Amino acid sequence: MTLPSWRDTSRGTMIRGALWLEAEVGEGEIFTKTRLREAFPDVSQIDRRLRDLRDYGWQIDTRREDPSLKQEEQRYVQRGREVWIPGQTKVNRNASLTAAQRSKVMLVDNFLCRSCGIAGGDLYGEDGVSSAQLDVARRKVQLPNGTVEVQLVTECNRCRVGRRGHQVDLAGILGAVESLAPLERQIFAKWIEADGRKLTGLEKLWGIYRTLPDESRQLVKQATTEDGK
Ligand SMILES: [Zn+2]
């Protein structure tokens, strides 16, 4: 699909900014404020207009969200609504999240990063200095009917950076659940209920088994295969 030109000045600044990101930067790529201003020399506050795109599901990270960026850099992480299509900016406006909406998402997510499980303020293990900051991220989810929807999820700053552009295949996950054996499905349901993965008897057994000396492992192996007959 060919997009309209971002140079077409009959369009609004925010729309031109979106088209510029698509045509000149590309998802996942970094741009500088200088480059942005050079592209729109006669638009005042072009970075503010670009930030307005966040209201339509566009993800543009600054150093605040992504500490690996330099002060003057921003990253065009993920495309949102096709704002250049008439009506897209009016219907069902996906406004910036309010503090209340963010708290609600974090509450149902137990104030844990849903990707790595770290709690807000906890220290990341390796260096023992940087602590996790939780934020609400927009996650593209492909629904079983094929449509892609943006859903909200709590993520820490570190995981959020690693997952840019990530899309979830919900149909694939539902299919995998569907194909679980009854026992596996019961265990999975318990993990969901507890919102955590407890070691099952099977896993504990495996943990112990693998530490056994070979002779003992052979005995366990024998007992297991015999029992299965
Ligand atoms: Zn995380």
Side-chain angles (χ1 to χ4, degrees):
M1 189 187 71
T2 322
L3 295 178
S5 168
W6 62 271
R7 293 190 168 85
D8 178 0
T9 52
S10 69
R11 291 172 184 276
T13 310
M14 185 189 76
I15 294 173
R16 290 182 60 206
L19 293 166
W20 178 79
L21 284 175
E22 278 291 292
E24 306 291 329
V25 182
E27 264 186 354
E29 301 300 322
I30 292 172
F31 61 95
T32 60
K33 283 178 190 166
T34 312
R35 198 177 146 202
L36 176 64
R37 289 195 190 119
E38 277 168 7
F40 297 90
D42 26 293
V43 179
S44 62
Q45 299 193 306
I46 178 65
D47 24 349
R48 185 175 287 195
R49 298 287 81 79
L50 215 59
R51 278 204 297 275
D52 289 342
L53 282 168
R54 291 173 169 171
D55 291 352
Y56 301 99
W58 290 64
Q59 193 184 336
I60 300 158
D61 281 358
T62 62
R63 197 178 154 77
R64 186 182 157 267
E65 290 87 21
D66 181 350
S68 74
L69 292 172
K70 296 196 187 81
Q71 193 60 46
E72 72 279 8
E73 289 178 336
Q74 297 184 43
R75 190 191 301 273
Y76 168 34
V77 180
Q78 189 169 292
R79 174 165 153 175
R81 212 170 282 258
E82 297 173 312
V83 289
W84 49 87
I85 296 174
Q88 284 294 302
T89 55
K90 297 187 180 73
V91 187
N92 194 13
R93 188 179 161 164
N94 182 12
S96 295
L97 299 174
T98 63
Q101 285 172 309
R102 295 156 70 88
S103 311
K104 195 177 153 198
V105 174
M106 290 197 192
L107 183 68
V108 296
D109 285 344
N110 272 333
F111 298 97
L112 299 174
C113 167
R114 301 316 291 188
S115 296
C116 71
I118 201 166
D122 275 5
L123 298 177
Y124 289 109
E126 323 87 80
D127 55 8
V129 232
S130 37
S131 62
Q133 288 170 27
L134 296 183
D135 204 347
V136 173
R138 293 179 157 93
R139 177 75 45 80
K140 278 186 187 169
V141 176
Q142 182 166 20
L143 300 175
N145 66 10
T147 59
V148 175
E149 167 181 297
V150 173
Q151 298 180 357
L152 302 172
V153 68
T154 306
E155 249 177 6
C156 72
N157 40 340
R158 192 167 285 191
C159 290
R160 194 156 172 263
V161 171
R163 280 182 177 256
R164 56 177 76 96
H166 181 75
Q167 180 172 307
V168 180
D169 171 17
L170 195 54
I173 295 166
L174 293 175
V177 169
E178 200 63 39
S179 61
L180 291 176
L183 182 62
E184 290 174 320
R185 203 193 284 211
Q186 272 178 32
I187 293 168
F188 190 56
K190 278 185 190 153
W191 291 349
I192 291 174
E193 188 59 39
D195 195 21
R197 192 174 71 96
K198 298 202 178 95
L199 286 184
T200 62
L202 202 56
E203 284 171 312
K204 281 181 194 156
L205 207 51
W206 169 251
I208 298 165
Y209 161 79
R210 62 191 304 215
T211 65
L212 294 174
D214 182 57
E215 269 182 288
S216 306
R217 285 207 309 275
Q218 293 308 321
L219 277 176
V220 176
K221 184 179 175 184
Q222 211 179 336
T224 309
T225 44
E226 271 170 11
D227 202 40
K229 276 173 196 163

